Amino acid sequence: PNYFTTGMHWRILSGELFAPEAKNNPLWLKMRLPRNVAVEFDARSETTSGNRIGDIKFEIFGNGRDHASGYVLIFGGWGNSISVIARLDEHGRDRAERRDKKVEVKKAYHMRIERTGGQLRWFIDGDLFMSLDDPRPLEGAEHDRFAFSSWEAELFFDNLEIPVENLIGEE
């Protein structure tokens, strides 16, 4: 009851959220996020072959209905070749990219995403992985939701936390 999706078969499997090939139909958390916040969770990819290896995907500051309505973060996308933080379009030219770190299949990663003002920072297992400085940060009623997402990978998510002590003070 705390989530909304436009489709696919999101479900709990062995106590974890399972996304079998969600085809960009995110599972949106209904809770609104404040402008400055930290979100943490664990994720792993179980896909072992083809162009679907890796592809751990999630979205933050979206509208709660539509894919790519906020920032799209992808670890090991496009056949485990590129990781991105994208603003409104994961294929856009203004995205931040990284190509040197690959998703290890069946390894659980701890993700932390923080936003303070216009700076979005993404940590994996405690290390800063990528950041994006947005001079016009997405915010307000149409940019205040978090979602787990996927394309064709079989992903597992667990331990979502948005702890009060991790809420970052307003400017």
Side-chain angles (χ1 to χ4, degrees):
N2 296 323
Y3 293 88
F4 170 78
T5 186
T6 56
M8 302 316 284
H9 301 287
W10 291 91
R11 60 186 173 273
I12 303 297
L13 186 63
S14 299
E16 297 175 297
L17 177 63
F18 177 51
E21 301 184 21
K23 302 285 188 191
N24 288 337
N25 286 284
L27 183 67
W28 291 99
L29 182 63
K30 289 182 179 178
M31 183 185 91
R32 295 180 186 278
L33 299 176
R35 179 176 192 234
N36 298 317
V37 68
V39 175
E40 298 185 52
F41 60 92
D42 298 323
R44 79 174 184 282
S45 177
E46 293 282 328
T47 303
T48 58
S49 64
N51 200 33
R52 304 176 315 153
I53 293 175
D55 208 26
I56 296 173
K57 182 185 284 194
F58 50 98
E59 307 188 27
I60 193 164
F61 298 110
N63 65 13
R65 298 176 309 277
D66 303 306
H67 166 64
S69 58
Y71 301 98
V72 181
L73 293 84
I74 305 169
F75 179 28
W78 297 275
N80 209 12
S81 65
I82 306 172
S83 297
V84 303
I85 299 177
R87 184 185 194 275
L88 301 173
D89 179 3
E90 66 192 66
H91 303 280
R93 292 185 178 167
D94 61 346
R95 69 187 186 188
E97 292 185 3
R98 183 170 174 177
R99 295 174 184 256
D100 63 319
K101 186 168 173 72
K102 308 296 182 196
V103 172
E104 294 176 37
V105 176
K106 300 186 181 196
K107 178 182 177 183
Y109 294 93
H110 184 74
M111 306 289 178
R112 178 180 168 98
I113 304 87
E114 300 177 350
R115 181 167 78 176
T116 304
Q119 185 178 54
L120 194 65
R121 298 185 325 155
W122 177 10
F123 296 84
I124 297 179
D125 295 334
D127 296 323
L128 181 62
F129 181 61
M130 295 181 72
S131 63
L132 178 74
D133 291 319
D134 188 348
R136 295 175 295 121
L138 301 172
E139 58 189 338
E142 288 296 303
H143 300 290
D144 61 0
R145 305 301 170 110
F146 172 82
F148 295 111
S149 193
S150 175
W151 175 240
E152 291 183 331
E154 293 185 351
L155 302 180
F156 288 84
F157 299 98
D158 202 5
N159 301 317
L160 175 65
E161 289 188 47
I162 308 173
V164 173
E165 63 270 14
N166 284 347
L167 294 178
I168 299 170
E170 295 297 315
E171 296 178 315

